Amino acid sequence: GENVEQHPSTLSVQEGDSAVIKCTYSDSASNYFPWYKQELGKGPQLIIDIRSNVGEKKDQRIAVTLNKTAKHFSLHITETQPEDSAVYFCAATMNQAGTALIFGKGTTLSVSS
Amino acid sequence: EAQVTQNPRYLITVTGKKLTVTCSQNMNHEYMSWYRQDPGLGLRQIYYSMNVEVTDKGDVPEGYKVSRKEKRNFPLILESPSPNQTSLYFCASSFREGEKLFFGSGTQLSVL
């Protein structure tokens, strides 16, 4: 089955710096890669996703890149702000009936002002 | 407001005492799922349901039951809770499997 590795487990940056979180997946059939942000005391919330027919996707300060050959995808946050502090999860799935969304173990991002 | 509602938010119980965590969504989603979140282990799927009366095991189903008698509700049942089920539980739903998941606010369960 699918296995998703996420690095780093913790990341501390200064406000205004960029942050990058990387994930690798094992199943080459996976074709959907979402990223979720979990703030303290809340459930995870989708912030961006990418499908395997696209190499990069941007949404304001957030971007995701996908390298299908190497089976890795990354989350890039530019001009970080204190409100970006949260736990971030990557996930992967084959997007077929009966196949689960497999999550990475999470990255705790701390942005200090 | 579109949302997934879980109850209770916090629950302390004792070993062996049956409990139910409720989950309801108001978005007419077909797909619903339960996850548990443990430190260092991320989110692991317990059970999921692709539609009414259709449920299936996730990665860590042992000790849990679910039912999907109505589209909007997907309760999680622990018939005989044990301390290793102490965890943070999330219910989630999406229009279809593999699409954007909406999560509830979580239920922190402690089994003594």
Side-chain angles (χ1 to χ4, degrees), chain A residues 17-94:
Chain A
D17 287 350
S18 295
V20 180
I21 302 170
K22 299 181 179 181
C23 289
T24 59
Y25 60 100
S26 61
D27 196 328
S28 57
S30 289
N31 57 12
Y32 176 60
F33 308 92
W35 285 88
Y36 286 82
K37 176 184 180 182
Q38 184 180 21
E39 297 177 340
L40 198 61
K42 298 184 179 180
Q45 186 172 14
L46 181 76
I47 54 172
I48 196 167
D49 56 8
I50 192 168
R51 297 189 185 271
S52 58
N53 58 348
V54 175
E56 183 176 4
K57 185 176 179 181
K58 288 184 180 180
D59 183 3
Q60 300 182 346
R61 296 186 297 108
I62 294 173
V64 56
T65 58
L66 171 65
N67 183 327
K68 287 189 296 182
T69 302
K71 290 189 284 187
H72 66 70
F73 56 112
S74 300
L75 178 70
H76 303 254
I77 306 174
T78 58
E79 300 173 21
T80 54
Q81 301 167 3
E83 50 265 38
D84 293 329
S85 296
V87 180
Y88 292 81
F89 292 98
C90 63
T93 182
M94 282 188 284

Side-chain angles (χ1 to χ4, degrees), chain A residues 32 36 38 41-44 46 51 89 95-105, chain B residues 9 35 37 40-43 45 48 50 59 88 90 97-101 103-105:
Chain A
Y32 176 60
Y36 286 82
Q38 184 180 21
K42 298 184 179 180
L46 181 76
R51 297 189 185 271
F89 292 98
N95 202 17
Q96 294 176 3
T99 58
L101 188 62
I102 304 300
F103 286 86
K105 291 181 169 49
Chain B
R9 285 294 308 271
Y35 294 86
Q37 184 177 10
L41 296 178
L43 291 156
Q45 190 179 51
Y48 64 95
M50 288 195 284
D59 293 326
L88 178 59
F90 287 102
E97 188 173 21
E99 298 191 359
K100 176 180 177 179
L101 269 176
F103 282 83
S105 297

Side-chain angles (χ1 to χ4, degrees), chain B residues 2-59:
Chain B
Q3 59 185 2
V4 177
T5 304
Q6 292 178 231
N7 280 297
R9 285 294 308 271
Y10 303 93
L11 180 58
I12 301 174
T13 190
V14 295
T15 300
K17 186 176 182 182
K18 180 179 179 179
L19 66 91
T20 299
V21 184
T22 64
C23 175
S24 179
Q25 50 92 6
N26 62 0
M27 296 169 279
N28 202 34
H29 284 167
E30 292 184 354
Y31 181 83
M32 298 187 74
S33 182
W34 277 100
Y35 294 86
R36 61 178 288 175
Q37 184 177 10
D38 301 288
L41 296 178
L43 291 156
R44 295 180 293 167
Q45 190 179 51
I46 303 170
Y47 267 95
Y48 64 95
S49 168
M50 288 195 284
N51 215 325
V52 176
E53 302 290 4
V54 180
T55 63
D56 211 342
K57 296 177 181 179
D59 293 326

